[in-house]
Amino acid sequence: PFDYVPLKEVLKKLEKREQAIIYFRYFLDLTQTEIAERLGISQVQVSRLEKKILAQLKVWMDATTAKKTVNK
């Protein structure tokens, strides 16, 4: 199912703050609390944003993967 995962492409579609949250969380392995402190927002906001971002990434990746499958 992961013949082509366009992660880099879809990450570029995110707003800068959203990119920062993903970078901090999954590349630097920071906690939501640590991210919140760096961005000056609450941990609850980070949690909500992270959930929204991951859902959006899934939609974009599903759409991009479907396009690649159709074009084969």
Side-chain angles (χ1 to χ4, degrees), residues 37-55:
E37 290 170 359
R38 286 185 183 214
L39 297 180
I41 59 177
S42 72
Q43 177 274 323
V44 172
Q45 286 176 294
V46 172
S47 178
R48 288 180 184 147
L49 287 167
E50 183 181 357
K51 184 176 180 179
K52 181 191 84 135
I53 293 163
L54 293 176

Side-chain angles (χ1 to χ4, degrees), residues 29-39:
D29 203 28
L30 298 182
T31 65
Q32 290 180 347
T33 301
E34 292 169 326
I35 296 168
E37 290 170 359
R38 286 185 183 214
L39 297 180

Side-chain angles (χ1 to χ4, degrees), residues 6 8 12 18-20 22-24 26-27 30 32 36 38 40-41 43-44 49 57 61-62 64 69:
K8 190 173 183 178
K12 288 179 182 179
E18 294 171 336
Q19 289 178 3
I22 294 300
Y23 178 74
F24 291 149
Y26 297 99
F27 292 89
L30 298 182
Q32 290 180 347
R38 286 185 183 214
I41 59 177
Q43 177 274 323
V44 172
L49 287 167
L57 289 175
M61 288 179 73
D62 287 346
T64 303
T69 303

Side-chain angles (χ1 to χ4, degrees), residues 9-22:
E9 291 174 27
V10 294
L11 287 175
K12 288 179 182 179
K13 294 181 179 182
L14 296 173
E15 295 176 14
K16 295 297 180 192
R17 181 169 80 164
E18 294 171 336
Q19 289 178 3
I21 290 170
I22 294 300

